[in-house]
Structures are given as structure tokens and as C-alpha cells.
Amino acid sequence: MKVLIFNGAMERKSQSTPALLSNYLSEQLNEMCIETNIFNLADAGIPLFDTAMTEIPHSVEIMNQQFLEAEVHFWLAPLYHGSIPGAMKNCLDWLELSSKAPIPYLTNKNIGMICWADGIQAMQGINTMDAIAKALRAWPVPFSAPLVRSTLFEAENPTEITAVNKEKLNLLMNLATSRKVEVRESFAPVV
């Protein structure tokens, strides 16, 4: 099984919230003998989505390949002004390149969603990611992790995720990686 951890934040610091969450997920999945790849949007060089482009940027080709090869995704996003970062949505829009493939977009992939906010509104980011995942024909895991940033890390060790939040993340990982979507032939996409 291949898992993609999509860090949709634009932070590059090694001790940032998205880096710490991505690394935690990767470490836990590796302990489960699951191959993981962290896709850091801030380092990917994904340009603005442009349907008029005649030559596809190499960074977009790599991104599409990684997103399509992974069977399970974990999408991580901070809540910015009531939604996910625009750069994250822009990146997902580039999956349009797969629209003519035999299995387009993210068809039948499990998507686990994690969003954090300073207040309790992180669910707004989860709802946005849920709508995008469904539009891309993926299966959002029926459990998500909306996190309150002020309670995300231990007070005495600001790089250690609290036990309560580890429990949420572990449950999300277990659900996303243990459930396989079964699709009957009669419901296969018509090409």
C-alpha cells in the first residue's frame, strides 16, 4: 500500500505544525510497514492552474503521478479565512490532467482529512476538503481530525503532539488504511 501525506500548508519551518503532523503520520505509518510519501506543497513549485497551457510543468507531472499512485491520502491544511489555503485547492485543480485517464482523478482512493485552526472552526476546512475529495471521485474517511491549535501540542514540549490528538490521528490512520473500497463492475466509470 502506498500512502501520500499532502501537506497543503505553505510553511517551510521544520518545527511548524504541518511538518510535525506530517512527520508523525509518516513515522506511525512506517511502523505499520506502509510506504509513505510526504508531498509538501510549499516546496513543490506548483504554478497557478491554467487550462490554456500547452506544456505541462514538470512539477505538475510529478505531483499528478504521486497523487495517482497512492491508494490512500492524508490531506493536512490550516484553516485560512474560513477555508483551506488557495494554493492547496490550486494544486488539487491540476488533477484535471487525469480526466481522460481510464481511472480519472482520485477515483476510489481513501482520503483522511486533518485541519487545524486557532479556534474551533477547523471543521470548515474539513468540509471544504470533503467536497473536493468527493468531486475528485475519492472516498473521504468517515472520521476526520479537526484540531484546535492551542491544544495540539504539549505545553511543556511544544513539538510533542498531545495524547488526545495522537489518538485522533491514530484512529484516522487505522480507518483510512484498513478499509478498502469495493466497487461492483456495474458501477465502474463508463469511458
Side-chain angles (χ1 to χ4, degrees):
M1 172 183 294
K2 287 185 178 182
V3 170
L4 178 79
I5 299 167
F6 177 26
N7 172 7
M10 297 304 290
E11 296 180 57
R12 289 188 171 89
K13 296 177 191 167
S14 62
Q15 300 297 310
S16 67
T17 297
L20 294 169
L21 288 170
S22 295
N23 291 335
Y24 177 78
L25 293 174
S26 182
E27 289 166 8
Q28 296 305 306
L29 292 163
N30 287 333
E31 284 182 19
M32 297 163 58
C33 297
I34 295 174
E35 181 183 344
T36 62
N37 178 37
I38 298 174
F39 184 88
N40 287 311
L41 183 56
D43 301 325
I46 303 297
L48 289 175
F49 180 60
D50 184 355
T51 58
M53 272 189 176
T54 56
E55 189 172 321
I56 304 305
H58 184 63
S59 61
V60 171
E61 290 174 348
I62 291 170
M63 181 276 297
N64 264 265
Q65 180 181 356
Q66 290 177 2
F67 276 61
L68 298 175
E69 285 178 353
E71 298 162 72
V72 174
H73 291 204
F74 291 97
W75 292 357
L76 289 75
L79 188 72
Y80 288 163
H81 309 289
S83 189
I84 62 173
M88 184 178 185
K89 172 64 168 71
N90 176 71
C91 181
L92 292 166
D93 286 342
W94 277 106
L95 288 168
E96 186 61 28
L97 296 179
S98 71
S99 66
K100 304 268 190 268
I103 302 175
Y105 308 112
L106 301 178
T107 301
N108 296 331
K109 296 181 186 302
N110 288 349
I111 312 290
M113 299 169 198
I114 301 163
C115 185
W116 60 94
D118 286 330
I120 58 171
Q121 289 80 26
M123 199 62 204
Q124 290 175 258
I126 300 286
N127 290 337
T128 300
M129 290 188 280
D130 182 80
I132 294 167
K134 288 175 180 170
L136 291 170
R137 304 179 186 177
W139 295 95
V141 174
F143 176 83
S144 57
L147 307 171
V148 178
R149 190 169 178 169
S150 63
T151 63
L152 185 49
F153 299 103
E154 297 288 350
E156 60 279 350
N157 184 356
T159 62
E160 180 68 25
I161 299 169
T162 61
V164 169
N165 286 306
K166 283 182 181 178
E167 283 182 41
K168 290 178 190 177
L169 297 171
N170 293 344
L171 177 57
L172 179 61
M173 284 184 280
N174 287 330
L175 288 170
T177 59
S178 65
R179 305 275 189 237
K180 179 133 177 90
V181 175
E182 298 289 333
V183 179
R184 296 191 331 220
E185 282 294 318
S186 61
F187 292 110
V190 178
V191 180

